[in-house]
Every structure is written in C-alpha cells, then in structure tokens.
Amino acid sequence: MITPDQTPEPPSLLPPVRPVPRPYRRRVSAWRTSVIGLFVIACFATLYFASTLFIPMALAILLSLLFTPMVRRLARVGIPRPVGAALAVVLLIALVGGAFTALAGPASGWLERAPINMAILRLRLQELQTPLGDVREAVRQMTEAASGGEQENQPPTVIVRTEGMVDSLMSGTGIVVTEVALTLVLLYFLLAGGNLFLRKTLRVARGRGDRKRAVEIFRRAETDISTYLVIITLINAMLGLLTGLAMWGYGLPNPVLWGTLAGVLNFVPFLGALVTAVVIALVSFITFDQISFAILPPLTFYALTLMEGQFVTPAVLGKRLTLNPVAVFLALMVWGWMWGIAGMLLAVPMLATFKIFCDNIPRLATIGALLDRR
C-alpha cells in the first residue's frame, strides 16, 4: 500500500539522458582545437598583410599606456582629459621631432661618408689583415694554377645597379608619414577617452561581483603595464645617456647619435645591444689610429649593457615583471618577420603587456606562468 508520504512521481515525458560516448567527445575536442588553430593562423595572416594598419594601432596603445599616468595627474589638478591628452601628444611630437632634427644631420653625414669611412677602416685594420691577405693571395695563385688561366677567357660580368639606400628610404617616406599621423590621432583619442573601454566592459558585465572584479583586473593591469613601460623607457634613456657620455669622454665624434642609438635599440633585447656594439666598434676603429685604444669604446658599452641587463633592470622591475628569454627570442623572431624593424622594437613591450594581462586574469594564469622567467 502507498502511503501519502510515498506519492509516486509522474512519468516523465522526456527520453532518458544518455551519457556522451568518448569517441564523440574526442571528435568535438579535435574540432574545437582545429578551429582555434585556424583562428590563430588567420589572425597572424591579417597582422602580416595589414601591417600598415596594425603597427600604428599597437604603437598608439603602448604610448597611451605610457602617457596615461601623466594625463591622469593633470586631470586631478583640474585640467580636462582632452586638454591633457593634447599636451601629451604635443610633448611626444616635441621630443621625437627635436631628437630627429638634432640627429638627422650627423646620421646623414655618416651615411654619405660611408665609402670613405670603410676605406679608412680597411687601412686601420691592415695590421690584422696582413696574414689573412697572404693566405688569400696564396689561395688565388693556387686557383689560377689549377684552372690553367681559363679565367681570362671568361665572359664579362654584367653588374646590375640596384636602388640606393637613400632612394629606398625616400620611397617609403609617404607610408611612414601616414603611419605616424595615424598613431598620433589614435593616441589622442585613447588618452582623451580615458576609461572608455572599462565603462563598456562594466555595461556588459552582469552581476555586481563581475563588475568589481573587472575594475580590479583592469586597474591592476593598467598600473603594472604603465609601470613596466615607464621603467623600461627610463632605463633605456639612462643607458643612452651614459653611453653618450662615455663616447664623449673617449673623443668619439657625434656622441649624442651613438647614445640615442644605444637607448632606442635597447628595446630589442640581444640584437639591439649587439648592433650598437658593432656600430660603436666600427666608428672607433675609423676614428682612432691605435687599435688598442679603439677597443675601449665598444668594451665600455658592453660593460654598461652587462650592468643594465644583469643588475639594474632585474633590481628595478623585480621578479614579477621578468620575461622568459626563450619567449622573448621567439617574439623577436615572429614580430620581426611580420613587421620588420618596427615589429622588433614593439615585440618585447607587447609581450610584457600580454603577460601582465595573463597574470591578472585567472583563466590565463597558466600562459602568464609560461612567459615568466622563474
């Protein structure tokens, strides 16, 4: 007999739920992975073919994060954000324009005197090249003896003259000017808009807890990124200043040019310091007669970069803002292949920005841990 407490449940009209078989789960997982892989490939292809559009966007976003603390402090004083953004853009134009005006003359002079400087460099290195010259002469004589003088009957070689360096630079001036204009305009709107993206995110968020969490993540990530960019910029500027002072102390011509080159190329780890050291070594060998004294400027620059990379930067940034060297090298390879020199300069700041966002978002913490140096 069924008691009142044991009332039978009405029969369900829906079919019973069956467990999903494992082969089906594997097919769904493989399909999802393939879609994600195709999406990533499509993103990289778009970034590659539309580099003229995306390079100004990336540069403007990084510059906005760099100048955001300045605009925010001006807003606290009472200056409206649009006016503060305009002042930041004007300051950037003044700094870059002044540096370009001051360095354009020496840089163009060195480019024009490149053939003469290379001839002087060969004369300076005659002491080191004498044994190598003897070896090359012996190899040439052995080659002529083995060929039996047939090289004299060789047909004349046709030399095709390609476009010069100056012509190549002038041909891309229009593209560079357009990218600079797009960068400045987008930078102004990003600085003037302030927390526009944060407000949009809060509108999309459902609950009060999600909104609070979004504000915390955004504020923390923005603070960390701004701190990283400001510190890296100051460290590179200090390295450039010390390099310029050292080159001036050694009597190297145009020390401001080499200091600026060292500070700018230091945004590219590994390769930037190597290129700067090679350039300083070449200029030093051209300038000084004694090889023993000409070695001192590149050695001094190497000591400065060693102190900066091993002691100053880790001590100032701390362990939480360090990057995995393998990830840095891969980023330099990928972005350098896609965007050239601009990509190599932006690779590390973009990688650090991505890592900071991953560290502040719980779902992406694993990726942030992979990019960490520890």
Side-chain angles (χ1 to χ4, degrees):
M1 173 179 279
I2 300 176
T3 61
D5 297 336
Q6 299 178 350
T7 305
E9 297 181 358
S12 178
L13 300 178
L14 298 176
V17 179
R18 298 179 180 179
V20 180
R22 291 185 177 180
Y24 179 78
R25 294 181 183 177
R26 294 177 181 175
R27 287 196 297 269
V28 171
S29 178
W31 178 81
R32 183 180 302 173
T33 304
S34 302
V35 170
I36 293 175
L38 292 175
F39 176 75
V40 171
I41 295 174
C43 289
F44 277 101
T46 304
L47 292 173
Y48 176 77
F49 289 106
S51 60
T52 308
L53 176 64
F54 285 103
I55 289 177
M57 292 176 60
L59 184 58
I61 292 173
L62 292 175
L63 290 175
S64 67
L65 294 172
L66 181 63
F67 285 100
T68 294
M70 171 185 170
V71 177
R72 186 174 297 166
R73 291 180 180 178
L74 292 177
R76 292 176 182 174
V77 176
I79 300 177
R81 292 193 68 95
V83 178
L87 292 177
V89 174
V90 170
L91 177 62
L92 178 63
I93 294 175
L95 292 175
V96 177
F100 182 79
T101 304
L103 300 176
S108 61
W110 279 98
L111 289 177
E112 291 176 359
R113 295 193 304 268
I116 300 175
N117 292 332
M118 294 305 296
I120 296 174
L121 180 62
R122 285 194 293 269
L123 294 176
R124 294 287 186 267
L125 298 178
Q126 279 184 354
E127 297 179 2
L128 299 178
Q129 290 180 348
T130 300
L132 296 178
D134 296 339
V135 173
R136 285 196 295 266
E137 182 65 22
V139 172
R140 186 182 64 83
Q141 294 178 0
M142 293 175 61
T143 304
E144 291 180 357
S147 59
E150 296 179 357
Q151 293 182 355
E152 297 180 357
N153 298 326
Q154 293 290 334
T157 304
V158 179
I159 301 176
V160 180
R161 296 188 178 273
T162 58
E163 191 179 19
M165 181 183 297
V166 178
D167 296 334
S168 300
L169 293 176
M170 293 300 294
S171 62
T173 302
I175 299 176
V176 173
V177 172
T178 304
E179 291 182 351
V180 170
L182 291 175
T183 302
L184 294 177
V185 172
L186 182 57
L187 174 62
Y188 172 77
F189 283 112
L190 289 174
L191 293 175
N195 299 326
L196 177 62
F197 293 101
L198 178 60
R199 293 195 298 268
K200 296 293 185 180
T201 304
L202 294 179
R203 290 181 184 178
V204 176
R206 299 178 180 178
R208 184 177 179 181
D210 295 337
R211 294 179 180 178
K212 184 178 180 181
R213 192 179 305 108
V215 171
E216 291 178 355
I217 293 174
F218 184 84
R219 293 297 186 192
R220 197 183 311 121
E222 184 184 30
T223 302
D224 292 343
I225 294 171
S226 300
T227 302
Y228 174 83
L229 293 177
V230 170
I231 291 176
I232 287 296
T233 303
L234 292 177
I235 290 176
N236 293 341
M238 185 59 63
L239 176 64
L241 178 61
L242 294 177
T243 302
L245 291 176
M247 300 305 110
W248 173 78
Y250 284 118
L252 215 63
N254 306 119
V256 179
L257 177 61
W258 316 127
T260 305
L261 182 68
V264 173
L265 292 184
N266 200 49
F267 282 99
V268 183
F270 314 129
L271 298 179
L274 178 61
V275 172
T276 307
V278 170
V279 171
I280 291 177
L282 293 177
V283 175
S284 180
F285 279 107
I286 291 172
T287 305
F288 304 114
D289 295 333
Q290 298 180 359
I291 296 179
S292 58
F293 187 78
I295 299 176
L296 295 179
L299 289 180
T300 303
F301 173 74
Y302 176 75
L304 290 175
T305 54
L306 185 65
M307 292 176 59
E308 178 269 328
Q310 299 296 328
F311 301 102
V312 178
T313 301
V316 175
L317 287 179
K319 296 182 178 180
R320 62 189 184 91
L321 292 180
T322 55
L323 295 172
N324 189 349
V326 178
V328 171
F329 188 75
L330 292 176
L332 291 174
M333 290 178 56
V334 173
W335 292 110
W337 168 70
M338 289 197 302
W339 291 354
I341 298 177
M344 297 184 71
L345 291 174
L346 297 174
V348 177
M350 289 191 298
L351 181 64
T353 302
F354 178 70
K355 176 186 176 298
I356 291 171
F357 270 111
C358 292
D359 291 339
N360 289 279
I361 299 176
R363 294 182 179 180
L364 302 178
T366 304
I367 301 178
L370 292 175
L371 298 177
D372 202 341
R373 189 172 185 175
R374 292 174 295 176

